[in-house]
Amino acid sequence: MTVVATRRSYRQFCGLAAALDVVGERWTMLLVRDLALGARRYGELLEGLPGIGEGLLAQRLRHLEAEGIARRTFSQAHGAVVYELTEDGMALFEALVPLTAWGLKRVDLDDDEGVKADWLAVALRARLDPLQTSGVEERYAFWVDDEPFTIAVGDETIAVERGEPEDPALRVDIDLDALMQIGAGAMSITEAREAGRTTISGDPKAISRYARLWTGIRR
Amino acid sequence: MTVVATRRSYRQFCGLAAALDVVGERWTMLLVRDLALGARRYGELLEGLPGIGEGLLAQRLRHLEAEGIARRTFSQAHGAVVYELTEDGMALFEALVPLTAWGLKRVDLDDDEGVKADWLAVALRARLDPLQTSGVEERYAFWVDDEPFTIAVGDETIAVERGEPEDPALRVDIDLDALMQIGAGAMSITEAREAGRTTISGDPKAISRYARLWTGIRR
DNA sequence: CCGCATCCGCGTTGATACTG
DNA sequence: CAGTATCAACGCGGATGCGG
């Protein structure tokens, strides 16, 4: 018979240790990252985490469910079972953004094996500062190659999702390689613009509000 | 001979994955946390991370060194080799603060009787610097909610134990939540005082000696 | 004692095969 | 497609050893 799974715990009276007791094991935080961009099916998650064992993914999902971080629901849109973050799971993702920003400096540009637009959306979110929002509720269309993303801005909140927004206040187009180089600090936005790698179109005031969101980027 | 250790990597173009490639393995983030409180000796780190294998600690330290997160130096003050964070290591610690804050909500306040108090004593001890002792032998009463601790100070020695001291030189009162927030950097001691979350009473000179013991804490 | 290196037993992980 | 079962390989924790 199976023995009771004695989860390994740091058992320290500390917020960081408590967080790591819950999401410190391999793949768990990346799973939260993938779910942060929207509801995902089991197969989509597998695809987004190359190298994870199938059994391990099932185990991690059950754990996130038990901890109230993710939720298993039936999606009309997908016509199938999907996993999505709870409110607390979203709060966790927000808490991971600074760590993501720190790690961005260490991304290996020459290792584009397995580049995915989704991961860039996360990187995108890590570079936008919710405190710079103007309070205006609006959405920006952000196209990376032929992949559309929505940047939804509200009062001190920013969400980045896959898909095209309705009624966008502006539209940004950029190719994947340029975005990678900008994110890693290897190219400035101005250089990308001059090289025709990116364009912005829309209401100038919206562009001004949008530009203010960016942090830690060479203009 | 042993084979070259092929470090396991997520190999994803993503800031979070890159960060976890560096500090995602077991104990590593907690090690950064402990180093963030000031330079520490090998033995002190071992004491602050109960359960870590001794060999593993050495391995993690070498890794943090190679990644430019920690530095191995000789400390005049300690009279021994110590490890300390680099500037980039400090930036990493800052990036962990929101995750710590998220995890604080999950710290089990109603943990089994002794466990809570024992870990509290360890956490307390980790933030006091024996080298800052004045040489005066005295004891401080440290009350967390309704739980009394004794901080016994001698000549470059500090011991923290459960229970109420005889003849204390001063008395500190603080509520558990405030103490954890201070430890996580989410609150300064001054803020806690102004909010009436903590009080110190006793001989002003003893208070001055006591205050000097604290390291790596926002006042 | 302190600061590690080495070895061993076991739990966790990764890849493949299998089932409804 | 959404998982489960199985097993080999790896990471980890504990004990031991060893020079300073």
Short mmCIF file of all heavy atoms in Angstrom, two decimals, chain A residues 113-165:
data_model
loop_
_atom_site.label_atom_id
_atom_site.label_comp_id
_atom_site.label_asym_id
_atom_site.label_seq_id
_atom_site.Cartn_x
_atom_site.Cartn_y
_atom_site.Cartn_z
N GLU A 113 16.43 27.98 -28.05
CA GLU A 113 15.79 26.66 -28.16
C GLU A 113 14.52 26.68 -27.32
O GLU A 113 14.56 26.74 -26.11
CB GLU A 113 16.77 25.61 -27.63
CG GLU A 113 16.22 24.21 -27.57
CD GLU A 113 17.24 23.29 -26.93
OE1 GLU A 113 18.43 23.62 -26.97
OE2 GLU A 113 16.85 22.26 -26.39
N GLY A 114 13.39 26.64 -27.98
CA GLY A 114 12.15 26.59 -27.23
C GLY A 114 11.62 27.95 -26.84
O GLY A 114 10.98 28.10 -25.83
N VAL A 115 11.91 28.96 -27.62
CA VAL A 115 11.33 30.27 -27.37
C VAL A 115 9.82 30.22 -27.59
O VAL A 115 9.36 29.71 -28.59
CB VAL A 115 11.95 31.33 -28.30
CG1 VAL A 115 11.16 32.63 -28.22
CG2 VAL A 115 13.39 31.55 -27.94
N LYS A 116 9.11 30.74 -26.68
CA LYS A 116 7.66 30.74 -26.80
C LYS A 116 7.12 32.12 -26.50
O LYS A 116 7.58 32.80 -25.57
CB LYS A 116 7.05 29.73 -25.83
CG LYS A 116 7.24 28.29 -26.26
CD LYS A 116 5.92 27.65 -26.67
CE LYS A 116 6.16 26.38 -27.46
NZ LYS A 116 6.15 25.20 -26.63
N ALA A 117 6.16 32.51 -27.27
CA ALA A 117 5.58 33.84 -27.09
C ALA A 117 4.97 34.00 -25.69
O ALA A 117 5.01 35.07 -25.12
CB ALA A 117 4.52 34.09 -28.16
N ASP A 118 4.44 32.93 -25.16
CA ASP A 118 3.85 33.00 -23.83
C ASP A 118 4.85 33.47 -22.79
O ASP A 118 4.54 34.27 -21.92
CB ASP A 118 3.32 31.62 -23.42
CG ASP A 118 1.91 31.40 -23.94
OD1 ASP A 118 1.41 32.30 -24.65
OD2 ASP A 118 1.33 30.37 -23.62
N TRP A 119 6.04 32.94 -22.88
CA TRP A 119 7.06 33.31 -21.88
C TRP A 119 7.39 34.78 -22.01
O TRP A 119 7.70 35.45 -21.04
CB TRP A 119 8.30 32.46 -22.06
CG TRP A 119 8.00 31.01 -21.98
CD1 TRP A 119 6.97 30.45 -21.31
CD2 TRP A 119 8.73 29.94 -22.57
NE1 TRP A 119 7.00 29.10 -21.46
CE2 TRP A 119 8.07 28.76 -22.23
CE3 TRP A 119 9.87 29.86 -23.36
CZ2 TRP A 119 8.51 27.51 -22.63
CZ3 TRP A 119 10.32 28.63 -23.76
CH2 TRP A 119 9.64 27.46 -23.41
N LEU A 120 7.33 35.27 -23.24
CA LEU A 120 7.60 36.69 -23.45
C LEU A 120 6.50 37.53 -22.84
O LEU A 120 6.75 38.62 -22.34
CB LEU A 120 7.73 36.97 -24.94
CG LEU A 120 9.10 36.55 -25.44
CD1 LEU A 120 9.13 36.54 -26.95
CD2 LEU A 120 10.17 37.46 -24.90
N ALA A 121 5.29 37.03 -22.87
CA ALA A 121 4.20 37.77 -22.24
C ALA A 121 4.48 37.94 -20.75
O ALA A 121 4.24 39.00 -20.17
CB ALA A 121 2.87 37.04 -22.44
N VAL A 122 5.02 36.91 -20.13
CA VAL A 122 5.36 37.00 -18.72
C VAL A 122 6.48 38.01 -18.52
O VAL A 122 6.44 38.85 -17.62
CB VAL A 122 5.79 35.62 -18.18
CG1 VAL A 122 6.28 35.76 -16.76
CG2 VAL A 122 4.63 34.65 -18.25
N ALA A 123 7.49 37.94 -19.39
CA ALA A 123 8.59 38.89 -19.31
C ALA A 123 8.07 40.31 -19.49
O ALA A 123 8.49 41.25 -18.81
CB ALA A 123 9.64 38.56 -20.36
N LEU A 124 7.13 40.43 -20.40
CA LEU A 124 6.49 41.72 -20.66
C LEU A 124 5.87 42.26 -19.38
O LEU A 124 6.12 43.41 -18.99
CB LEU A 124 5.39 41.49 -21.71
CG LEU A 124 4.95 42.65 -22.54
CD1 LEU A 124 6.12 43.22 -23.30
CD2 LEU A 124 3.88 42.19 -23.53
N ARG A 125 5.10 41.42 -18.74
CA ARG A 125 4.43 41.83 -17.51
C ARG A 125 5.45 42.25 -16.46
O ARG A 125 5.22 43.19 -15.68
CB ARG A 125 3.58 40.66 -16.99
CG ARG A 125 2.97 40.88 -15.63
CD ARG A 125 2.03 42.09 -15.63
NE ARG A 125 1.56 42.38 -14.29
CZ ARG A 125 2.28 42.99 -13.38
NH1 ARG A 125 3.49 43.40 -13.67
NH2 ARG A 125 1.80 43.22 -12.18
N ALA A 126 6.60 41.57 -16.45
CA ALA A 126 7.62 41.87 -15.45
C ALA A 126 8.24 43.24 -15.67
O ALA A 126 8.83 43.82 -14.76
CB ALA A 126 8.70 40.79 -15.47
N ARG A 127 8.13 43.75 -16.89
CA ARG A 127 8.75 45.03 -17.21
C ARG A 127 7.78 46.20 -17.10
O ARG A 127 8.14 47.34 -17.39
CB ARG A 127 9.32 45.00 -18.62
CG ARG A 127 10.56 44.15 -18.75
CD ARG A 127 11.67 44.71 -17.90
NE ARG A 127 12.95 44.16 -18.32
CZ ARG A 127 14.12 44.59 -17.84
NH1 ARG A 127 14.15 45.53 -16.94
NH2 ARG A 127 15.24 44.04 -18.26
N LEU A 128 6.54 45.94 -16.75
CA LEU A 128 5.54 47.00 -16.66
C LEU A 128 5.24 47.28 -15.19
O LEU A 128 5.09 46.36 -14.40
CB LEU A 128 4.25 46.58 -17.39
CG LEU A 128 4.43 46.28 -18.88
CD1 LEU A 128 3.16 45.66 -19.45
CD2 LEU A 128 4.78 47.55 -19.64
N ASP A 129 5.16 48.55 -14.85
CA ASP A 129 4.98 48.94 -13.46
C ASP A 129 3.55 49.39 -13.20
O ASP A 129 3.11 50.43 -13.69
CB ASP A 129 5.96 50.08 -13.14
CG ASP A 129 5.88 50.48 -11.68
OD1 ASP A 129 5.04 49.90 -10.95
OD2 ASP A 129 6.64 51.36 -11.26
N PRO A 130 2.80 48.60 -12.41
CA PRO A 130 1.40 48.92 -12.13
C PRO A 130 1.22 50.27 -11.46
O PRO A 130 0.16 50.89 -11.57
CB PRO A 130 0.96 47.80 -11.19
CG PRO A 130 1.94 46.71 -11.41
CD PRO A 130 3.23 47.36 -11.77
N LEU A 131 2.25 50.75 -10.77
CA LEU A 131 2.13 52.02 -10.06
C LEU A 131 2.16 53.20 -11.02
O LEU A 131 1.84 54.32 -10.65
CB LEU A 131 3.25 52.16 -9.02
CG LEU A 131 3.16 51.14 -7.89
CD1 LEU A 131 4.29 51.34 -6.91
CD2 LEU A 131 1.82 51.27 -7.18
N GLN A 132 2.56 52.94 -12.27
CA GLN A 132 2.63 54.02 -13.26
C GLN A 132 1.33 54.15 -14.05
O GLN A 132 1.25 54.94 -14.98
CB GLN A 132 3.80 53.79 -14.22
CG GLN A 132 5.14 53.75 -13.51
CD GLN A 132 5.38 54.99 -12.66
OE1 GLN A 132 5.13 56.10 -13.10
NE2 GLN A 132 5.81 54.79 -11.42
N THR A 133 0.35 53.36 -13.70
CA THR A 133 -0.93 53.45 -14.42
C THR A 133 -1.58 54.79 -14.11
O THR A 133 -1.45 55.32 -13.02
CB THR A 133 -1.88 52.32 -14.00
OG1 THR A 133 -1.96 52.28 -12.58
CG2 THR A 133 -1.38 50.98 -14.52
N SER A 134 -2.27 55.33 -15.10
CA SER A 134 -2.84 56.67 -14.95
C SER A 134 -4.23 56.63 -14.34
O SER A 134 -4.81 57.65 -14.04
CB SER A 134 -2.92 57.33 -16.33
OG SER A 134 -3.64 56.50 -17.21
N GLY A 135 -4.76 55.42 -14.15
CA GLY A 135 -6.11 55.31 -13.62
C GLY A 135 -7.13 55.12 -14.73
O GLY A 135 -8.26 54.73 -14.49
N VAL A 136 -6.70 55.39 -15.96
CA VAL A 136 -7.58 55.18 -17.11
C VAL A 136 -7.67 53.69 -17.41
O VAL A 136 -6.65 53.01 -17.46
CB VAL A 136 -7.02 55.91 -18.36
CG1 VAL A 136 -7.90 55.65 -19.56
CG2 VAL A 136 -6.88 57.39 -18.08
N GLU A 137 -8.86 53.18 -17.59
CA GLU A 137 -9.01 51.78 -17.96
C GLU A 137 -8.97 51.65 -19.47
O GLU A 137 -9.80 52.23 -20.17
CB GLU A 137 -10.34 51.23 -17.42
CG GLU A 137 -10.29 50.93 -15.95
CD GLU A 137 -11.17 49.74 -15.58
OE1 GLU A 137 -11.52 48.95 -16.50
OE2 GLU A 137 -11.52 49.60 -14.40
N GLU A 138 -7.96 50.90 -19.95
CA GLU A 138 -7.87 50.72 -21.40
C GLU A 138 -7.06 49.47 -21.71
O GLU A 138 -6.43 48.88 -20.84
CB GLU A 138 -7.25 51.96 -22.06
CG GLU A 138 -5.86 52.32 -21.54
CD GLU A 138 -5.43 53.69 -22.06
OE1 GLU A 138 -6.18 54.30 -22.83
OE2 GLU A 138 -4.33 54.14 -21.66
N ARG A 139 -7.11 49.09 -22.97
CA ARG A 139 -6.40 47.90 -23.41
C ARG A 139 -5.52 48.24 -24.61
O ARG A 139 -5.91 49.05 -25.47
CB ARG A 139 -7.38 46.80 -23.80
CG ARG A 139 -8.10 46.17 -22.62
CD ARG A 139 -9.38 45.50 -23.05
NE ARG A 139 -10.26 46.43 -23.72
CZ ARG A 139 -10.97 47.38 -23.11
NH1 ARG A 139 -10.91 47.49 -21.80
NH2 ARG A 139 -11.74 48.19 -23.80
N TYR A 140 -4.33 47.63 -24.62
CA TYR A 140 -3.42 47.82 -25.74
C TYR A 140 -3.26 46.50 -26.49
O TYR A 140 -3.17 45.44 -25.87
CB TYR A 140 -2.05 48.31 -25.24
CG TYR A 140 -2.11 49.48 -24.29
CD1 TYR A 140 -1.44 49.47 -23.08
CD2 TYR A 140 -2.86 50.62 -24.61
CE1 TYR A 140 -1.50 50.54 -22.21
CE2 TYR A 140 -2.94 51.71 -23.74
CZ TYR A 140 -2.25 51.66 -22.53
OH TYR A 140 -2.34 52.73 -21.68
N ALA A 141 -3.21 46.60 -27.80
CA ALA A 141 -2.93 45.40 -28.61
C ALA A 141 -1.43 45.32 -28.82
O ALA A 141 -0.81 46.27 -29.29
CB ALA A 141 -3.65 45.49 -29.95
N PHE A 142 -0.84 44.19 -28.44
CA PHE A 142 0.61 44.03 -28.52
C PHE A 142 0.90 42.81 -29.37
O PHE A 142 0.71 41.67 -28.92
CB PHE A 142 1.17 43.87 -27.10
CG PHE A 142 2.65 44.07 -26.99
CD1 PHE A 142 3.18 45.31 -26.64
CD2 PHE A 142 3.53 43.02 -27.23
CE1 PHE A 142 4.54 45.50 -26.53
CE2 PHE A 142 4.89 43.21 -27.13
CZ PHE A 142 5.41 44.45 -26.78
N TRP A 143 1.36 43.03 -30.59
CA TRP A 143 1.58 41.92 -31.52
C TRP A 143 3.06 41.54 -31.56
O TRP A 143 3.92 42.35 -31.91
CB TRP A 143 1.12 42.29 -32.92
CG TRP A 143 -0.38 42.36 -33.04
CD1 TRP A 143 -1.19 43.35 -32.59
CD2 TRP A 143 -1.24 41.38 -33.65
NE1 TRP A 143 -2.51 43.06 -32.87
CE2 TRP A 143 -2.57 41.86 -33.53
CE3 TRP A 143 -1.01 40.15 -34.29
CZ2 TRP A 143 -3.66 41.14 -34.02
CZ3 TRP A 143 -2.10 39.45 -34.79
CH2 TRP A 143 -3.41 39.94 -34.64
N VAL A 144 3.35 40.29 -31.21
CA VAL A 144 4.71 39.77 -31.32
C VAL A 144 4.71 38.80 -32.50
O VAL A 144 4.09 37.75 -32.43
CB VAL A 144 5.14 39.04 -30.03
CG1 VAL A 144 6.57 38.54 -30.18
CG2 VAL A 144 5.01 39.96 -28.84
N ASP A 145 5.41 39.19 -33.57
CA ASP A 145 5.30 38.47 -34.83
C ASP A 145 3.81 38.38 -35.19
O ASP A 145 3.17 39.41 -35.32
CB ASP A 145 5.96 37.09 -34.75
CG ASP A 145 7.47 37.21 -34.68
OD1 ASP A 145 8.01 38.28 -35.02
OD2 ASP A 145 8.12 36.24 -34.29
N ASP A 146 3.26 37.21 -35.27
CA ASP A 146 1.83 37.13 -35.62
C ASP A 146 0.98 36.70 -34.44
O ASP A 146 -0.14 36.23 -34.61
CB ASP A 146 1.64 36.15 -36.79
CG ASP A 146 2.29 36.70 -38.06
OD1 ASP A 146 2.31 37.94 -38.21
OD2 ASP A 146 2.78 35.89 -38.87
N GLU A 147 1.56 36.88 -33.26
CA GLU A 147 0.87 36.45 -32.04
C GLU A 147 0.34 37.67 -31.30
O GLU A 147 1.11 38.53 -30.88
CB GLU A 147 1.84 35.68 -31.14
CG GLU A 147 1.21 34.98 -29.98
CD GLU A 147 0.94 33.52 -30.29
OE1 GLU A 147 1.76 32.93 -31.04
OE2 GLU A 147 -0.06 33.00 -29.81
N PRO A 148 -0.99 37.78 -31.11
CA PRO A 148 -1.54 38.95 -30.44
C PRO A 148 -1.62 38.78 -28.92
O PRO A 148 -1.97 37.71 -28.42
CB PRO A 148 -2.95 39.04 -31.02
CG PRO A 148 -3.31 37.62 -31.33
CD PRO A 148 -2.04 36.89 -31.65
N PHE A 149 -1.27 39.84 -28.21
CA PHE A 149 -1.43 39.87 -26.76
C PHE A 149 -2.25 41.08 -26.38
O PHE A 149 -2.31 42.07 -27.11
CB PHE A 149 -0.07 39.95 -26.06
CG PHE A 149 0.76 38.73 -26.23
CD1 PHE A 149 1.65 38.62 -27.29
CD2 PHE A 149 0.65 37.67 -25.34
CE1 PHE A 149 2.41 37.48 -27.47
CE2 PHE A 149 1.40 36.53 -25.52
CZ PHE A 149 2.29 36.43 -26.58
N THR A 150 -2.88 40.97 -25.21
CA THR A 150 -3.65 42.09 -24.68
C THR A 150 -2.98 42.59 -23.41
O THR A 150 -2.69 41.81 -22.51
CB THR A 150 -5.09 41.63 -24.33
OG1 THR A 150 -5.76 41.27 -25.53
CG2 THR A 150 -5.84 42.76 -23.63
N ILE A 151 -2.71 43.87 -23.38
CA ILE A 151 -2.25 44.50 -22.14
C ILE A 151 -3.42 45.29 -21.60
O ILE A 151 -3.83 46.29 -22.21
CB ILE A 151 -1.04 45.43 -22.39
CG1 ILE A 151 0.11 44.64 -23.02
CG2 ILE A 151 -0.58 46.07 -21.08
CD1 ILE A 151 1.33 45.48 -23.36
N ALA A 152 -3.99 44.82 -20.49
CA ALA A 152 -5.16 45.47 -19.91
C ALA A 152 -4.73 46.28 -18.70
O ALA A 152 -4.18 45.73 -17.74
CB ALA A 152 -6.21 44.43 -19.52
N VAL A 153 -4.97 47.58 -18.76
CA VAL A 153 -4.51 48.49 -17.71
C VAL A 153 -5.71 49.07 -16.98
O VAL A 153 -6.70 49.46 -17.60
CB VAL A 153 -3.68 49.63 -18.32
CG1 VAL A 153 -3.17 50.57 -17.24
CG2 VAL A 153 -2.54 49.07 -19.13
N GLY A 154 -5.62 49.10 -15.65
CA GLY A 154 -6.67 49.72 -14.85
C GLY A 154 -6.05 50.61 -13.81
O GLY A 154 -5.02 51.22 -14.05
N ASP A 155 -6.66 50.67 -12.64
CA ASP A 155 -6.15 51.51 -11.57
C ASP A 155 -5.09 50.74 -10.79
O ASP A 155 -5.39 49.91 -9.95
CB ASP A 155 -7.30 51.94 -10.65
CG ASP A 155 -6.82 52.90 -9.58
OD1 ASP A 155 -5.83 53.60 -9.84
OD2 ASP A 155 -7.44 52.93 -8.50
N GLU A 156 -3.83 51.01 -11.09
CA GLU A 156 -2.70 50.33 -10.45
C GLU A 156 -2.73 48.82 -10.66
O GLU A 156 -2.26 48.05 -9.82
CB GLU A 156 -2.62 50.65 -8.95
CG GLU A 156 -2.43 52.14 -8.71
CD GLU A 156 -1.85 52.43 -7.33
OE1 GLU A 156 -1.79 51.50 -6.52
OE2 GLU A 156 -1.46 53.58 -7.10
N THR A 157 -3.31 48.38 -11.78
CA THR A 157 -3.25 46.97 -12.13
C THR A 157 -2.92 46.82 -13.62
O THR A 157 -3.38 47.61 -14.44
CB THR A 157 -4.59 46.24 -11.88
OG1 THR A 157 -5.61 46.94 -12.58
CG2 THR A 157 -4.93 46.18 -10.41
N ILE A 158 -2.13 45.82 -13.92
CA ILE A 158 -1.81 45.51 -15.30
C ILE A 158 -1.93 44.00 -15.48
O ILE A 158 -1.39 43.23 -14.68
CB ILE A 158 -0.37 45.93 -15.66
CG1 ILE A 158 -0.19 47.44 -15.50
CG2 ILE A 158 -0.04 45.52 -17.09
CD1 ILE A 158 1.22 47.91 -15.81
N ALA A 159 -2.64 43.58 -16.51
CA ALA A 159 -2.71 42.15 -16.83
C ALA A 159 -2.28 41.96 -18.27
O ALA A 159 -2.62 42.76 -19.14
CB ALA A 159 -4.13 41.64 -16.62
N VAL A 160 -1.51 40.91 -18.50
CA VAL A 160 -1.12 40.58 -19.86
C VAL A 160 -1.70 39.21 -20.19
O VAL A 160 -1.51 38.26 -19.43
CB VAL A 160 0.41 40.55 -20.03
CG1 VAL A 160 0.79 40.15 -21.44
CG2 VAL A 160 1.01 41.91 -19.70
N GLU A 161 -2.42 39.13 -21.29
CA GLU A 161 -3.03 37.86 -21.68
C GLU A 161 -2.79 37.61 -23.16
O GLU A 161 -2.50 38.53 -23.91
CB GLU A 161 -4.55 37.89 -21.45
CG GLU A 161 -4.97 38.12 -20.03
CD GLU A 161 -6.43 38.56 -19.96
OE1 GLU A 161 -7.15 38.37 -20.95
OE2 GLU A 161 -6.82 39.11 -18.92
N ARG A 162 -2.95 36.37 -23.54
CA ARG A 162 -2.89 36.05 -24.95
C ARG A 162 -4.18 36.51 -25.62
O ARG A 162 -5.23 36.56 -24.99
CB ARG A 162 -2.73 34.54 -25.15
CG ARG A 162 -1.37 34.04 -24.73
CD ARG A 162 -1.07 32.72 -25.36
NE ARG A 162 -2.12 31.74 -25.04
CZ ARG A 162 -2.11 30.49 -25.49
NH1 ARG A 162 -1.12 30.08 -26.25
NH2 ARG A 162 -3.06 29.66 -25.18
N GLY A 163 -4.12 36.81 -26.89
CA GLY A 163 -5.32 37.15 -27.63
C GLY A 163 -5.44 38.63 -27.91
O GLY A 163 -4.75 39.45 -27.32
N GLU A 164 -6.34 38.94 -28.83
CA GLU A 164 -6.51 40.30 -29.31
C GLU A 164 -7.56 41.01 -28.48
O GLU A 164 -8.63 40.45 -28.23
CB GLU A 164 -6.95 40.23 -30.78
CG GLU A 164 -6.64 41.46 -31.59
CD GLU A 164 -6.91 41.20 -33.07
OE1 GLU A 164 -7.14 40.03 -33.43
OE2 GLU A 164 -6.90 42.16 -33.84
N PRO A 165 -7.30 42.24 -28.03
CA PRO A 165 -8.29 42.97 -27.22
C PRO A 165 -9.37 43.58 -28.10
O PRO A 165 -9.16 43.83 -29.28
CB PRO A 165 -7.45 44.07 -26.57
CG PRO A 165 -6.36 44.34 -27.56
CD PRO A 165 -6.07 43.02 -28.24
#
